């Protein structure tokens, strides 16, 4: 099991930027693919971005492609989500998650461990 703690959420104007961080502890971070998901009130948790163990592969939801960038620093046991050009439809609680699977995945149920989430709010 890996413990995950997100940070970096907050209030930003539409068009602005935020960088979320997710610090991992416990087991060897580099053995996990990492993902970011988000959940808005009344909606299901949805996939945002994922990055493979070595950062060689990344996936993005269509709604964030070109605006968000996922990255990781295995030496610091941290995964990041750089969010640019934030839109009114982006507000949600953002969660990072760790997957021990071999294949990089966008499926929520294939992630084993989750953080507590960080709130992102966008003002118009």
């Amino acid at each position: 099991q890996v413990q995950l703690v997100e940070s970096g959420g907050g209030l930003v104007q539409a068009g602005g930027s935020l960088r979320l961080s997710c610090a991992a502890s416990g087991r060897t971070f580099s053995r996990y693919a990492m993902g970011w998901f988000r959940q808005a009130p009344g909606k299901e948790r949805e996939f945002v971005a994922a990055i493979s163990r070595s950062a060689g592969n990344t996936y993005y939801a269509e709604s964030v492609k070109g605006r968000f960038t996922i990255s990781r620093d295995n030496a610091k046991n941290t995964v990041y989500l750089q969010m640019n050009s934030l839109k009114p439809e982006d507000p949600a609680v953002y969660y990072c998650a760790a997957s021990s699977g071999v294949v990089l995945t966008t499926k929520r149920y294939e992630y084993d461990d989750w953080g507590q989430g960080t709130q992102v709010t966008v003002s118009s």
Side-chain angles (χ1 to χ4, degrees), residues 23 32 38 63 98 100 113 122:
Y32 291 84
R38 66 186 181 186
S63 59
S100 59
D113 300 300
V122 180

Side-chain angles (χ1 to χ4, degrees), residues 36-67:
W36 286 96
F37 291 76
R38 66 186 181 186
Q39 187 168 18
K43 296 187 177 181
E44 291 197 356
R45 193 169 300 187
E46 64 175 3
F47 169 75
V48 175
I51 189 166
S52 61
R53 299 171 183 181
S54 64
N57 290 321
T58 55
Y59 292 162
Y60 294 94
E62 284 298 320
S63 59
V64 307
K65 200 172 289 185
R67 300 188 297 123

Side-chain angles (χ1 to χ4, degrees), residues 17 77 98 113:
S17 299
N77 291 351
D113 300 300

Side-chain angles (χ1 to χ4, degrees), residues 56-124:
N57 290 321
T58 55
Y59 292 162
Y60 294 94
E62 284 298 320
S63 59
V64 307
K65 200 172 289 185
R67 300 188 297 123
F68 291 11
T69 302
I70 188 171
S71 62
R72 67 189 295 163
D73 185 337
N74 286 346
K76 294 183 178 180
N77 291 351
T78 302
V79 62
Y80 304 97
L81 185 68
Q82 177 67 45
M83 306 187 294
N84 298 329
S85 302
L86 283 159
K87 299 179 177 181
E89 56 263 37
D90 292 322
V93 177
Y94 282 71
Y95 299 88
C96 73
S99 171
S100 59
V102 175
V103 179
L104 188 59
T105 180
T106 66
K107 296 179 173 59
R108 185 176 60 188
Y109 60 83
E110 293 184 342
Y111 284 81
D112 310 295
D113 300 300
W114 293 80
Q116 82 290 348
T118 185
Q119 178 72 51
V120 171
T121 304
V122 180
S123 64
S124 56

Side-chain angles (χ1 to χ4, degrees), residues 1-29:
Q1 187 177 11
V2 60
Q3 290 76 45
L4 303 170
V5 179
E6 302 96 334
S7 61
L11 173 65
V12 64
Q13 285 189 328
S17 299
L18 279 176
R19 187 174 85 153
L20 306 183
S21 299
C22 175
S25 61
R27 298 202 170 175
T28 305
F29 179 68

